[in-house]
Amino acid sequence: MKSFLSFLLLGGCAVAAQAQTKPATASKAASYHLLQTTTVGGEGGWDYLAVDPVAQRLYLSHATQVEVLDLHTHQKAGVISNTPGVHGIAPVPKLGRGYITNGRSNTVTVFDLNTLKETASLPTGTKPDAVFYDEYSGRVFVFNNGGASATVIDAATDKVVGTVALGGAPEAGVSDGKGQVFVNLEDTNEIVVFDAKTLAVKHRWSVAPGEEPSGLAFDRAHHRLFSVCGNGKAIVLDSESGKVVAQVPIGKGVDGAVFDEAAQAAITSNGEGTLTVIHEDSPARFRTETIASARGARTIALDPTTHHLFLSTAQYGATPAPTTETPRPRPSIVPGTFQVLEFGR
């Protein structure tokens, strides 16, 4: 995903819907609210987080390790170390294993869900980022943001079995559960569609007027893809035709999105400190709602059993003075303030 501080120069909040959206009324109660804040502590940046709904564990990327929380107690259940430049985590309960992308070492760490111990380390392309398991093909797809490719792992053997040339820098990907994989390309402003088994690229769909797409949410039942973009737009596409059916305003600094089937809504996590809830009243009608979160909370995970949302962030300190070597310095992160926000309906 994008730099965890890339949103900091952005300001404001997009709340007014465009012509093809219906804005939420001011009197309508927020559909999600903050339930709990859990301080994890430690130092360093973060990226993706992921839920294991069976074991009720939350996996948090954090600097060079993955923090694991018990969602029943909100206590730390363990740490998976030696994950340099960690970005994505994909727990797969039916296999008893999980997969972690390490952007600095260009590897994937395979680990045991029970012991949290590493069982294998596999090579990837340059700067592996997002990762997910596709049950239809029994494969793990690793999206190499710096290598314009996807590394394909056979989850039965934990062997690399192929590479997909994507023609751009991939961000988040999703599956339709029927053999097709969709992935955002942030530098070409496209969604690429490829076959999960043959790995052949089938389609390239523009997300214009969206720019720099990152998170990707999917309503499988109604064939709607929500590609969330850095220019404050979510582009809604028909997953069968690639046609853009709506563009919806969202908050700034977005990096993640999920679709909650129970709420019939796509939710975007915006680094400016908001959630944008895109209510899908029908496959052609959408209305937006803006909910306060916290500055820096730009990634999001959904627990499909409780329908709770989880975001991670920290507090920020002073920004160093610009130098020749670092003309645009990032604000410092206050040690010990890394935390998880939990939202529910």
Side-chain angles (χ1 to χ4, degrees):
M1 284 190 151
K2 303 182 194 309
S3 163
F4 68 93
L5 292 172
S6 62
F7 59 88
L8 289 178
L9 297 180
L10 299 172
C13 176
V15 295
Q18 294 188 5
Q20 55 268 70
T21 68
K22 177 183 177 183
T25 61
S27 61
K28 185 178 179 66
S31 58
Y32 294 90
H33 59 277
L34 182 64
L35 298 176
Q36 185 167 342
T37 299
T38 302
T39 299
V40 180
E43 299 184 28
W46 58 91
D47 202 344
Y48 287 99
L49 61 169
V51 172
D52 177 347
V54 176
Q56 281 293 284
R57 282 179 165 180
L58 179 66
Y59 293 85
L60 305 162
S61 62
H62 193 196
T64 60
Q65 62 185 25
V66 174
E67 314 260 15
V68 187
L69 296 187
D70 183 317
L71 289 179
H72 294 298
T73 64
H74 287 256
Q75 299 299 309
K76 190 177 293 188
V79 173
I80 305 169
S81 57
N82 192 30
T83 58
V86 56
H87 286 282
I89 310 108
V92 188
K94 66 175 293 182
L95 301 178
R97 298 192 301 281
Y99 301 82
I100 299 168
T101 59
N102 307 312
R104 293 180 190 167
S105 61
N106 298 328
T107 61
V108 162
T109 297
V110 186
F111 68 97
D112 184 287
L113 292 183
N114 292 317
T115 66
L116 303 180
K117 301 297 185 183
E118 179 180 322
T119 60
S121 180
L122 308 175
T124 67
T126 303
K127 194 185 173 184
D129 192 353
V131 57
F132 78 89
Y133 171 72
D134 173 40
E135 188 168 0
Y136 177 87
S137 63
R139 289 173 163 180
V140 175
F141 293 93
V142 177
F143 297 104
N144 306 306
N145 185 265
S149 66
T151 298
V152 186
I153 299 168
D154 179 355
T157 62
D158 283 338
K159 302 294 184 184
V160 174
V161 294
T163 301
V164 185
L166 297 171
E171 282 281 333
V174 294
S175 165
D176 67 357
K178 299 178 181 178
Q180 290 193 120
V181 174
F182 307 84
V183 59
N184 279 329
L185 299 187
E186 67 171 335
D187 55 347
T188 64
N189 304 325
E190 294 177 302
I191 289 177
V192 166
V193 188
F194 64 89
D195 189 286
K197 290 189 174 180
T198 68
L199 307 184
V201 172
K202 301 171 66 175
H203 306 289
R204 292 182 178 276
W205 296 333
S206 172
V207 299
E211 298 175 1
E212 295 187 35
S214 53
L216 187 62
F218 192 15
D219 174 7
R220 287 185 179 181
H222 299 105
H223 312 291
R224 292 294 181 261
L225 292 162
F226 297 80
S227 180
V228 302
C229 301
N231 63 338
K233 300 178 187 293
I235 307 301
V236 187
L237 297 90
D238 186 305
S239 66
E240 296 183 313
S241 68
K243 178 183 177 181
V244 173
V245 298
Q247 54 175 297
V248 183
I250 61 174
K252 296 182 179 180
V254 66
D255 212 1
V258 294
F259 189 81
D260 185 350
E261 292 183 2
Q264 280 296 290
I267 304 97
T268 77
S269 48
N270 314 314
E272 67 178 8
T274 63
L275 295 171
T276 302
V277 182
I278 305 171
H279 296 279
E280 186 178 348
D281 293 333
S282 78
R285 293 184 59 201
F286 307 89
R287 56 188 168 85
T288 60
E289 178 184 2
T290 302
I291 298 168
S293 57
R295 181 188 185 199
R298 63 184 178 80
T299 50
I300 186 169
L302 169 71
D303 183 340
T305 57
T306 64
H307 301 279
H308 289 183
L309 307 171
F310 298 90
L311 302 90
S312 53
T313 189
Q315 295 177 21
Y316 297 97
T319 301
T323 64
T324 303
E325 295 76 16
T326 310
R328 298 179 64 186
R330 298 171 174 174
S332 60
I333 300 172
V334 178
T337 64
F338 182 57
Q339 61 186 341
V340 174
L341 310 178
E342 180 176 359
F343 287 79
R345 297 173 65 211

